[in-house]
């Protein structure tokens, strides 16, 4: 009997990979190994709708389809190492799993603050269901919430916390929130909208330490001031879950470098035919934009890359892999929707609507559109999507 | 025929489904989702793709 396809990572990417293998005709054994105790669930609501309500696995779990009923799901099991030459992975219990093909779907984990007085209660991350359950408990009216990081997650938590009646301050090193993806003008406008909702920004500022004995009581900043804090939310980015891949001569500089077909590449340029990388970790060239290998950490990418990897594995892939990156974020009544890779732009301009209301921005590199983002006006944003097909 | 249901309490009108099954889903002039409640069996794989890309996981095929 041949060895199973082993998928390491049991989040959305791992689930979609198992489903896609079945859809494209693979009938052999599949093992999915994930370190979280839960069956795959949808993460975006954790910083938005779900955080505003009671948080439960049931509310966010993906539907289990009949096609994957015979998959061997191993939850709560961390993979420790892999030996690609011998085609095995070893889990934390010392059990060895030989594979016919390996799918890397371990994604990212939250980066946390490193401070001298760090052993305190009241520190939160926002990535897993358990994170959201713990944070939800503390977002009570009047709670003084300090969010470190002004990316999408930090801003979504800020909006949710304001709705729940918390007092909210955002601390971040940049000039405006979400500036790197959105560009200065739209980012400044989003800051104004957050301020109008009562959020305080301490931009161009970093956290130097925490104040408190058992629980967080305050946050010390590099301008010498201290702000009071009951609930600290650390939304400062992520680390790659790639330690288990070390020692295999892969290019792990950021994510895992792959071919356009999502096969892992050795540092020598040689390709592993039976090792695929999907989701946030896949650093692949996308011919829509150029030949540069890039990661795309958007929600639609695990599903797109899983489908492609399954097509390649089963011999059903046609043409180049050209997924259109897409993201959205909801903050109060501001519904942002974007296509493309906004951060590639050397020029950003308003192309429809009014900056003070609903509006659409175009993102251009050397005069070519590389991204589009709107507040509202979804039909207009969707029309520009055709530029990337 | 297949029967399609969208939980409108979950739907946030992102319109990602529109590109997977354009004969079933569309955004109207107010940017709200509209969909046909039934479709031919040949649409099943497109609707399943739409289910996968729905950020709110609001779409189901009623069996």
């Amino acid at each position: 009997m041949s060895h199973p396809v082993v998928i390491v990572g049991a989040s959305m990417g791992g689930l979609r990979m198992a489903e896609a293998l079945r859809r494209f005709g693979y009938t052999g054994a599949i093992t999915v190994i994930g370190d979280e105790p839960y069956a795959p669930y949808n993460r975006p609501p954790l910083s938005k709708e779900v955080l505003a309500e009671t948080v439960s696995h049931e509310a966010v779990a993906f539907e289990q389809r009949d096609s994957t009923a015979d998959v061997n799901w191993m939850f709560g099991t961390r993979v420790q190492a892999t030996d690609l030459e011998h085609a095995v992975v070893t889990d934390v219990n010392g059990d060895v799993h030989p594979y016919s093909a390996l799918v890397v779907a371990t994604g990212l984990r939250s980066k946390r603050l490193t401070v001298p007085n760090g052993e305190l209660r009241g520190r939160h991350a926002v990535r897993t269901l358990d994170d959201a359950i713990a944070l939800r408990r503390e977002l009570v009216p009047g709670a003084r919430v300090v969010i470190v990081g002004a990316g999408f997650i930090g801003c979504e938590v800020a909006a949710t916390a304001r709705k729940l009646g918390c007092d909210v301050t955002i601390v971040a090193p940049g000039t405006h929130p979400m500036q790197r993806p959105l560009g200065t003008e739209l980012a400044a406008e989003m800051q104004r909208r957050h301020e109008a909702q009562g959020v305080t920004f301490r931009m161009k500022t970093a956290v130097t330490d925490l104040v408190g004995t058992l629980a967080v009581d305050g946050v010390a900043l590099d301008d010498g001031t201290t702000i009071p804090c009951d609930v600290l939310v650390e939304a400062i980015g992520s680390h790659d879950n790639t330690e288990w891949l070390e020692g295999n001569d892969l290019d792990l500089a950021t994510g895992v470098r792959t071919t356009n077909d999502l096969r892992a590449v050795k540092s020598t340029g040689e390709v592993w035919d039976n090792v695929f990388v999907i989701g946030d970790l896949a650093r692949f060239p996308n011919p829509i934009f150029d030949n540069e290998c890039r990661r795309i950490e958007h929600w639609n990418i695990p599903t797109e890359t899983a489908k492609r990897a399954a097509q390649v594995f089963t011999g059903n892939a046609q043409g180049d892999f050209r997924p259109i990156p897409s993201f959205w974020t909801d903050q109060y009544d501001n519904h942002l929707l974007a296509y493309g890779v906004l951060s590639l732009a050397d020029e950003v301009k308003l192309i429809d609507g009014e900056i003070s209301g609903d509006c659409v921005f175009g993102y251009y590199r050397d005069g070519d559109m590389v991204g589009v983002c709107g507040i509202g006006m979804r039909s207009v944003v969707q029309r520009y999507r055709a530029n990337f097909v | 025929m297949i029967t399609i249901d969208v939980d409108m309490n979950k739907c946030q009108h992102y319109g990602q489904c529109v590109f997977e099954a354009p004969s079933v889903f569309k955004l109207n002039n107010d940017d709200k989702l509209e969909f046909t409640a039934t479709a031919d069996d040949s649409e099943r794989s497109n609707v399943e793709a739409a289910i996968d890309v729905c950020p709110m996981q609001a779409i189901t095929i009623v069996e």
Side-chain angles (χ1 to χ4, degrees):
Chain A
M1 209 183 84
S2 67
H3 294 307
V5 172
V6 172
I7 301 169
V8 182
S11 190
M12 180 167 65
L15 172 69
R16 295 297 184 229
M17 186 72 206
E19 291 172 346
L21 283 168
R22 289 287 181 252
R23 190 172 343 126
F24 292 104
Y26 171 72
T27 55
I30 301 173
T31 298
V32 184
I33 310 174
D35 66 348
E36 280 192 74
Y38 304 105
Y41 59 88
N42 197 22
R43 294 189 198 278
L46 298 181
S47 55
K48 311 183 191 89
E49 300 80 7
V50 166
L51 197 53
E53 297 159 12
T54 311
V55 187
S56 70
H57 179 252
E58 198 187 0
V60 288
F62 286 113
E63 182 197 359
Q64 166 89 56
R65 293 182 182 156
D66 295 345
S67 66
T68 57
D70 63 349
V71 167
N72 176 24
W73 298 97
M74 298 180 63
F75 301 121
T77 307
R78 182 184 294 273
V79 164
Q80 204 73 344
T82 183
D83 178 344
L84 301 184
E85 286 295 344
H86 296 95
V88 293
V89 299
T90 306
D91 69 29
V92 71
N93 305 315
D95 291 334
V96 176
H97 307 267
Y99 62 79
S100 59
L102 174 66
V103 181
V104 175
T106 37
L108 313 174
R109 64 180 180 277
S110 297
K111 195 180 278 184
R112 304 302 298 264
L113 287 173
T114 311
V115 286
N117 184 32
E119 296 288 317
L120 298 174
R121 283 199 318 271
R123 297 181 58 183
H124 295 270
V126 194
R127 181 155 191 100
T128 67
L129 180 60
D130 286 342
D131 291 339
I133 290 170
L135 177 57
R136 176 68 190 92
R137 224 178 276 138
E138 298 201 28
L139 294 182
V140 294
R144 297 168 302 178
V145 177
V146 175
I147 299 166
V148 187
F152 291 116
I153 301 286
C155 288
E156 287 168 2
V157 172
T160 305
R162 282 299 299 143
K163 272 191 237 171
L164 293 170
C166 305
D167 178 32
V168 178
T169 303
I170 293 181
V171 178
T175 307
H176 299 294
M178 304 173 283
Q179 180 159 357
R180 202 178 331 160
L182 298 184
T184 305
E185 201 179 349
L186 188 51
E189 174 60 21
M190 285 305 295
Q191 180 171 347
R192 277 193 289 278
R193 295 184 189 200
H194 273 278
E195 284 168 343
Q197 296 284 343
V199 174
T200 302
F201 284 86
R202 299 292 295 268
M203 300 304 291
K204 299 181 187 171
T205 306
V207 173
T208 54
D209 205 358
L210 304 180
V211 180
T213 46
L214 291 171
V216 179
D217 204 33
V219 177
L221 305 177
D222 62 359
D223 61 5
T225 60
T226 298
I227 43 180
C229 175
D230 305 311
V231 183
L232 179 68
V233 179
E234 301 171 26
I236 54 174
S238 50
H239 290 293
D240 298 346
N241 288 323
T242 51
E243 289 84 354
W244 65 283
L245 294 166
E246 285 170 7
N248 286 287
D249 198 25
L250 295 172
D251 178 351
L252 305 176
T254 168
V256 186
R257 186 160 78 93
T258 74
T259 61
N260 179 253
D261 270 343
L262 302 168
R263 288 183 162 115
V265 179
K266 297 184 194 181
S267 61
T268 55
E270 217 175 320
V271 175
W272 287 99
D273 278 337
N274 65 336
V275 180
F276 297 90
V277 185
I278 65 170
D280 289 338
L281 290 178
R283 177 158 46 97
F284 62 95
N286 188 337
I288 292 177
F289 303 101
D290 48 37
N291 294 320
E292 193 76 27
C293 289
R294 284 189 197 87
R295 313 162 62 167
I296 307 176
E297 295 168 35
H298 293 331
W299 181 85
N300 72 322
I301 292 301
T303 298
E304 298 265 7
T305 51
K307 180 178 168 189
R308 179 64 177 200
Q311 287 171 335
V312 172
F313 179 71
T314 58
N316 287 295
Q318 285 172 355
D320 286 334
F321 179 49
R322 304 165 61 90
I324 302 175
S326 170
F327 72 82
W328 71 92
T329 180
D330 293 314
Q331 297 163 29
Y332 320 103
D333 290 329
N334 305 300
H335 306 289
L336 278 69
L337 174 66
Y339 293 104
V341 182
L342 280 48
S343 58
L344 295 180
D346 52 44
E347 185 191 2
V348 183
K349 59 186 183 198
L350 183 70
I351 52 177
D352 208 334
E354 305 270 346
I355 181 77
S356 57
D358 285 354
C359 55
V360 180
F361 278 79
Y363 297 73
Y364 303 86
R365 178 179 63 180
D366 301 329
D368 292 330
M369 182 175 260
V370 289
V372 59
C373 180
I375 305 179
M377 304 186 79
R378 282 187 183 145
S379 307
V380 177
V381 175
Q382 290 201 336
R383 279 204 295 280
Y384 283 104
R385 179 184 183 274
N387 287 12
F388 308 113
V389 176
Chain B
M1 296 289 278
I2 55 170
T3 303
I4 297 137
D5 185 45
V6 179
D7 182 340
M8 295 311 288
N9 291 322
K10 283 187 180 172
C11 176
Q12 297 289 326
H13 313 277
Y14 293 114
Q16 304 292 68
C17 51
V18 169
F19 300 103
E20 302 295 340
S23 71
V24 175
F25 303 101
K26 70 165 192 168
L27 287 185
N28 68 19
N29 291 336
D30 296 325
D31 285 352
K32 300 293 182 206
L33 183 76
E34 289 180 358
F35 67 101
T36 62
T38 59
D40 198 80
D41 281 325
S42 62
E43 280 292 322
R44 177 179 285 271
S45 68
N46 290 340
V47 174
E48 284 176 349
I51 289 171
D52 284 358
V53 302
C54 172
M56 302 313 299
Q57 295 291 290
I59 306 169
T60 46
I61 294 175
V62 185
E63 301 292 352

